[in-house]
Amino acid sequence: MIDGINFITDENGKRKAILLDLIQFKKDGINAESIIDSLSDLQQMINEAGLEKKAPNTWEMAKEKLKNLKP
């Protein structure tokens, strides 16, 4: 991997974002084609990123939770 390409991950280690350090690329003399080549698996990263789905908060779910509460 090229210096200057940084991945942001969540607490589970799943990639959430990519940061490109343009200053580092310039210092190292890296051209755009090299960066694009190193991100050739970008579509796979996007597909695997996955959004965490929150359970819908409905009245029926709330009633179920209330039933299960013990005084």
Side-chain angles (χ1 to χ4, degrees), residues 16-41:
K16 298 293 182 178
I18 301 172
L19 294 175
L20 301 176
D21 186 344
L22 302 177
I23 304 282
Q24 186 66 45
F25 298 152
K26 188 172 183 177
K27 284 181 186 176
D28 294 343
I30 298 172
N31 63 24
E33 188 174 315
S34 298
I35 296 163
I36 291 170
D37 288 343
S38 71
L39 291 173
S40 62
D41 59 343

Side-chain angles (χ1 to χ4, degrees), residues 31-64:
N31 63 24
E33 188 174 315
S34 298
I35 296 163
I36 291 170
D37 288 343
S38 71
L39 291 173
S40 62
D41 59 343
L42 181 59
Q43 185 61 54
Q44 181 180 352
M45 285 188 267
I46 292 169
N47 293 343
E48 292 173 355
L51 300 174
E52 294 179 22
K53 295 180 182 177
K54 294 183 179 179
N57 193 8
T58 64
W59 177 242
E60 291 302 317
M61 290 174 67
K63 287 194 294 187
E64 265 314 299

